[in-house]
Structures are given as structure tokens and as C-alpha cells.
């Protein structure tokens, strides 16, 4: 079923299974992101956040490439004034993935470069095809950016190697360096991502959205403040009927298993 927001041209949004949205980047042969597409990414993820029928999102690319990053045409005409406007739109777009009220599973089907790598780094789970590669080509084309996103997945020196060399690495190398990704056969990676989405979507939407808020809020905090914040979310969830149903179901399951 289509859940395509009006006016969106470069992303295809469907609901292949109840509760799961599949978002496909679909612009040209390499899914490079221009100003319009940045705006459309934000539109799509904001709409999914508000869609009460959706409980998990799978993000992938159409064709051989997940996302080649920024359309270089944008950089050819960028100056200090237009650049500030453009970068604000880029931030709004990328942070719409991080701030999406639902978990986002990146199914990386091929190269994920620059802002494409940013989309992956801001997802909640990552399943990568064996054909996937990851890179920060910015310094090779005279711009900067991407290091902070990549540091969400990799230790500093691994990130800096990618940043300063501008050389892409394959999915297995990224995993070896410490990235918490699943690497799968190309023919299987999307189905594995969908399987992860099913596991998420089987849970209460209210609990899912509170969990996403909680994890986002405590990510930058120390252990004591972060756990205290999480406990506050636990109390909020415990008042909801979905929490009571889950507790009773688990108690019944344990009682049945004890017989």
C-alpha cells in the first residue's frame, strides 16, 4: 500500500506489510541528494512520525546505489550566503531521520557516501549488503562534513582515516573497525531488514515512540543522568494500558512455562 506524501518525487514510500513503511531513495542512477530531495526526506520522515498506523521504517535505495551523497551541482554555485541556507536544509533533512518518532532500519544496498553515509549513521539499526561501501568523499571534492555522524558508528581514528583519505571501505571492513552493523548476502539484506522491522512493529506504538525519545534524549548524557532520564520514561510508559497488557501477558507466559 502507498503512503506517499503529496508532492514527493524522489522518494517512494509504501507499506509492504502492516505497520512497516518502506522508504526508497529514488533520484537518478545514484540517488544523489539535491536541495529539493533534502526537503522531501524531511517531509517523508515527519509524515511517518505522525502516521499512527506505522510502527517501523526501512530505508533503502533504488538501483545499485544506496545514496551517492550531495549532488555536486549544489557545490558549484554555493557561496557563504546560499551555503548557510543549504546547510540548514541539509541538517533539517538528516535530523528528521534521527528525530523520527519510529525506529529506522537502514537496508544499505550499495555505496553510501557523504550524506548517504549520514543517513545510515543516523538510523537506529543497519543491515548492509555485502556489496555496500561507505565513504566520506568530502575532502576529495573541496568540502567538509560527515565526521560527527560517522563517529556515531566508529572510533575516532577509524573515522579520521575515512575522513582524511576520502577512501571508501566495504561493509565488512566497517564492521571490523567497530561499526554495529549486520552484513548479509546481497539477495538477503532487505529481507533481514524487514525481519528486524517486524520485530519492532509487533510492539506497542506508544512504547516504541517513548523508547525512541528516551534513547535519543539520553545518548549524549553520562550514565547517571541518562539512566535517571530513562527511568522517567519508564514511569510514563507504566501508566499506559499497553504496558499493563504486556506485563500481564509476560506473567501468564512465565506461569505457563513453570507448569
Amino acid at each position: 500500500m502507498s503512503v506517499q506524501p503529496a508532492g514527493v518525487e524522489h522518494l517512494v514510500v509504501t507499506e509492504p506489510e502492516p505497520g512497516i513503511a518502506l522508504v526508497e531513495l529514488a533520484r537518478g542512477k545514484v540517488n544523489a541528494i539535491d536541495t529539493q530531495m533534502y526537503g522531501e526526506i524531511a517531509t517523508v520522515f515527519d509524515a511517518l512520525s505522525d502516521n499512527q498506523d506505522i510502527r517501523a521504517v526501512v530505508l533503502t535505495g533504488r538501483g545499485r546505489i544506496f545514496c551517492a551523497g550531495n549532488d555536486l551541482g549544489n557545490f558549484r554555485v554555493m557561496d557563504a550566503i546560499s551555503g548557510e541556507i543549504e546547510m540548514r536544509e541539509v541538517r533539517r533533512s538528516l535530523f528528521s531521520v534521527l528525530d523520527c518518532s519510529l525506529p529506522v532500519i537502514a537496508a544499505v544496498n550499495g555505496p553510501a557516501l557523504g550524506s548517504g553515509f549520514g543517513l545510515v549513521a543516523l538510523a537506529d539499526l543497519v543491515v548492509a549488503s555485502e556489496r555496500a561501501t561507505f565513504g566520506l568523499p568530502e575532502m576529495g571534492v573541496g568540502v567538509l562534513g560527515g565526521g560527527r555522524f560517522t563517529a556515531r558508528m566508529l572510533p575516532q581514528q577509524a573515522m579520521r582515516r575515512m575522513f582524511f583519505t576520502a577512501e571508501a571501505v566495504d561493509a565488512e571492513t566497517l564492521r571490523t573497525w567497530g561499526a554495529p552493523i549486520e552484513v548479509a548476502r546481497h539477495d538477503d539484506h532487505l529481507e533481514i531488514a524487514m525481519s528486524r522491522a517486524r520485530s519492532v512493529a509487533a510492539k506497542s506504538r506508544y512504547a516504541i515512540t517513548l523508547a525512541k525519545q528516551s534513547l535519543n534524549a539520553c545518548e549524549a548524557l553520562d550514565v547517571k543522568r541518562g539512566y535517571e532520564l530513562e527511568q522517567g520514561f519508564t514511569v510514563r510508559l507504566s501508566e499506559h494500558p499497553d504496558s499493563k497488557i504486556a506485563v500481564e501477558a509476560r506473567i501468564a507466559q512465565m506461569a505457563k512455562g513453570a507448569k
Side-chain angles (χ1 to χ4, degrees), residues 109-159:
N109 54 300
L113 309 176
S115 293
F117 194 3
L119 291 170
V120 174
L122 292 173
D124 298 280
L125 289 75
V126 181
V127 180
S129 159
E130 61 195 345
R131 300 179 189 175
T133 56
F134 301 85
L136 297 173
E138 282 83 353
M139 288 198 71
V141 295
V143 296
L144 297 174
R148 184 60 190 87
F149 292 141
T150 307
R152 200 167 183 255
M153 300 182 73
L154 290 173
Q156 274 286 324
Q157 288 180 321
M159 176 275 286

Side-chain angles (χ1 to χ4, degrees), residues 2 43 63 70 78-79 122 140 142 148 171 179 203 219 235 243 247:
S2 174
T43 295
N70 261 70
M78 186 179 293
D79 57 28
L122 292 173
R148 184 60 190 87
K203 298 171 177 62
E219 182 173 350
V235 172
S243 174
V247 169

Side-chain angles (χ1 to χ4, degrees), residues 78-91:
M78 186 179 293
D79 57 28
I81 296 175
S82 66
E84 284 296 324
I85 297 171
E86 178 75 10
M87 291 303 103
R88 186 165 61 245
E89 187 70 358
V90 172
R91 291 193 299 272

Side-chain angles (χ1 to χ4, degrees), residues 1-210:
M1 181 187 347
S2 174
V3 284
Q4 185 86 9
V8 171
E9 298 179 14
H10 300 309
L11 292 87
V12 178
V13 189
T14 56
E15 188 181 354
E17 298 180 18
I20 301 174
L22 177 64
V23 178
E24 298 174 273
L25 305 174
R27 181 175 181 264
K29 293 183 178 180
V30 300
N31 298 325
I33 313 176
D34 66 356
T35 303
Q36 177 183 339
M37 189 174 175
Y38 275 119
E40 291 181 359
I41 290 171
T43 295
V44 164
F45 280 92
D46 287 349
L48 290 173
S49 288
D50 295 337
N51 189 326
Q52 297 302 303
D53 295 326
I54 301 298
R55 296 186 295 282
V57 182
V58 175
L59 172 64
T60 192
R62 281 201 166 180
R64 297 185 302 104
I65 294 177
F66 177 80
C67 175
N70 261 70
D71 187 321
L72 294 181
N74 286 15
F75 294 132
R76 296 180 72 181
V77 298
M78 186 179 293
D79 57 28
I81 296 175
S82 66
E84 284 296 324
I85 297 171
E86 178 75 10
M87 291 303 103
R88 186 165 61 245
E89 187 70 358
V90 172
R91 291 193 299 272
R92 186 174 79 90
S93 175
L94 295 180
F95 291 144
S96 72
V97 177
L98 178 66
D99 294 333
C100 181
S101 65
L102 307 169
V104 178
I105 299 102
V108 189
N109 54 300
L113 309 176
S115 293
F117 194 3
L119 291 170
V120 174
L122 292 173
D124 298 280
L125 289 75
V126 181
V127 180
S129 159
E130 61 195 345
R131 300 179 189 175
T133 56
F134 301 85
L136 297 173
E138 282 83 353
M139 288 198 71
V141 295
V143 296
L144 297 174
R148 184 60 190 87
F149 292 141
T150 307
R152 200 167 183 255
M153 300 182 73
L154 290 173
Q156 274 286 324
Q157 288 180 321
M159 176 275 286
R160 288 174 185 240
R161 171 175 167 172
M162 296 185 72
F163 194 94
F164 285 120
T165 66
E167 296 171 355
V169 299
D170 61 33
E172 189 57 39
T173 298
L174 201 75
R175 190 190 65 78
T176 301
W177 285 354
I181 65 175
E182 292 183 72
V183 182
R185 290 179 62 251
H186 182 74
D187 291 344
D188 298 335
H189 82 284
L190 183 57
E191 174 51 34
I192 292 173
M194 289 293 295
S195 175
R196 303 290 172 261
R198 289 185 203 109
S199 180
V200 173
K203 298 171 177 62
S204 156
R205 191 183 193 281
Y206 182 75
I208 290 167
T209 58
L210 274 191

